[in-house]
Amino acid sequence: MTVFSVGQDMAGIRDALTRMVAVGRNPQRLLGAIGLGLESSTRERMRDGVDPDG
């Protein structure tokens, strides 16, 4: 069994882990944001006539 400790303030790590758990419980916001980004880039490529591979 491996044991480790971190000597710095753990508040930032704890906050990040808490946010990750929240995403796992309710991923709709994150997935929606990803989808909007993909939709935007697809529309731009279609408008500019650019192939997805560049």
Side-chain angles (χ1 to χ4, degrees):
M1 180 162 124
T2 303
V3 177
F4 68 93
S5 64
V6 177
Q8 300 295 323
D9 180 23
M10 299 286 286
I13 295 169
R14 184 178 49 249
D15 291 344
L17 290 173
T18 299
R19 289 191 304 273
M20 288 172 55
V21 168
V23 167
R25 288 187 181 141
N26 187 10
Q28 286 82 5
R29 243 176 97 188
L30 174 63
L31 295 175
I34 292 169
L36 285 176
L38 292 172
E39 179 184 7
S40 295
S41 66
T42 300
R43 289 183 183 278
E44 288 175 15
R45 284 195 313 273
M46 291 174 71
R47 180 194 67 219
D48 298 339
V50 177
D51 185 273
D53 293 327

